[in-house]
Amino acid sequence: KQEVTQIPAALSVPEGENLVLNCSFTDSAIYNLQWFRQDPGKGLTSLLLIQSSQREQTSGRLNASLDKSSGRSTLYIAASQPGDSATYLCAASNDYKLSFGAGTTVTVRA
Amino acid sequence: EAGVVQSPRYKIIEKKQPVAFWCNPISGHNTLYWYRQNLGQGPELLIRYENEEAVDDSQLPKDRFSAERLKGVDSTLKIQPAELGDSAVYLCASSREGRPSTDTQYFGPGTRLTVL
């Protein structure tokens, strides 16, 4: 069974600081690794999807890396803004099944 | 393009009562998922549909939960009878049914269920 862990559970940073969110997974036989954002009371929004053959993906200020051999992925958010405050979840895909971590709740202070 | 629609957004019921959640996926998306998200945790898959066929219901508590997807579009998830431990957010997601390596799931806003 795939186990996904996200550390830390919560993070508070001043505006402008770069964010580093960590995700680890136990089963390296994944199809892809996905990062989602969840705002309070809302569903999940897909941010980045890294296929198993890729090392990283970038979208604007977001960059995600994947190291399958060590079972780790990292999401970097450059120059954080108050609007980046949310919970960020990673999910490892085995076939069509996504196994989620519990998330990292980020607060960006103005 | 409209997103995944779910209703109701909130539901409060007494234990032992029945409850139903409805989901309308993105048009053209053949795959539909129901997840349950407990407070402070990530979503956990309950059931996955390919068109109208439930292809993975291994995590669905079949003694009290049931689901259907008539005509391969809308879906309903039902709990009967509800228990206190069923309090959670129930999320619906859909995808186009592309290759597993590239399939992106799109989530609805969820239904927050409170069982008293």
Side-chain angles (χ1 to χ4, degrees):
Chain A
K1 179 184 175 185
Q2 178 74 271
E3 300 287 344
V4 180
T5 304
Q6 291 186 249
I7 295 174
L11 188 60
S12 179
V13 299
E15 182 177 3
E17 191 165 301
N18 295 332
L19 286 163
V20 180
L21 307 180
N22 298 303
C23 171
S24 62
F25 48 95
T26 56
D27 182 357
S28 62
I30 60 172
Y31 280 91
N32 62 58
L33 190 291
Q34 300 183 36
W35 284 92
F36 292 85
R37 168 180 173 146
Q38 186 170 33
D39 292 285
K42 298 192 177 179
L44 281 69
T45 300
S46 178
L47 297 175
L48 291 168
L49 183 154
I50 313 172
Q51 297 180 45
S52 61
S53 59
Q54 298 175 324
R55 297 282 294 182
E56 66 177 341
Q57 274 288 350
T58 298
S59 176
R61 294 184 294 110
L62 277 60
N63 174 274
S65 65
L66 174 64
D67 184 343
K68 273 182 52 177
S69 61
S70 66
R72 296 186 180 187
S73 177
T74 303
L75 178 66
Y76 302 89
I77 302 177
S80 63
Q81 304 169 359
D84 294 329
S85 297
T87 297
Y88 293 83
L89 297 97
C90 69
S93 171
N94 297 89
D95 195 1
Y96 286 96
K97 181 173 182 177
L98 288 180
S99 299
F100 285 85
T104 295
T105 298
V106 171
T107 302
V108 180
R109 308 186 303 272
Chain B
E1 179 179 74
V4 176
V5 179
Q6 291 188 247
S7 69
R9 292 295 313 279
Y10 306 91
K11 190 73 175 179
I12 301 174
I13 61 172
E14 300 280 339
K15 64 180 180 182
K16 300 185 181 180
Q17 294 300 307
V19 64
F21 315 123
W22 175 80
C23 173
N24 180 246
I26 292 173
S27 178
H29 283 196
N30 297 323
T31 307
L32 184 145
Y33 312 77
W34 282 103
Y35 289 88
R36 177 169 59 189
Q37 184 174 24
N38 293 314
L39 187 65
Q41 299 180 22
E44 294 181 328
L45 180 69
L46 292 173
I47 189 168
R48 172 169 70 93
Y49 281 93
E50 296 287 353
N51 298 304
E52 65 273 11
E53 180 182 2
V55 295
D56 183 358
D57 62 356
S58 58
Q59 302 301 311
L60 190 72
K62 298 180 181 63
D63 56 336
R64 298 182 300 107
F65 285 66
S66 64
E68 61 182 9
R69 190 183 184 196
L70 301 177
K71 300 181 180 179
V73 181
D74 295 0
S75 178
T76 302
L77 178 68
K78 298 178 181 178
I79 308 175
Q80 182 172 10
E83 298 179 352
L84 295 177
D86 295 331
S87 295
V89 175
Y90 291 82
L91 295 164
C92 179
S94 69
S95 67
R96 286 194 179 278
E97 193 193 353
R99 293 180 298 165
S101 61
T102 58
D103 199 39
T104 296
Q105 297 183 26
Y106 296 86
F107 284 78
T111 297
R112 181 175 297 276
L113 173 67
T114 302
V115 182
L116 303 176

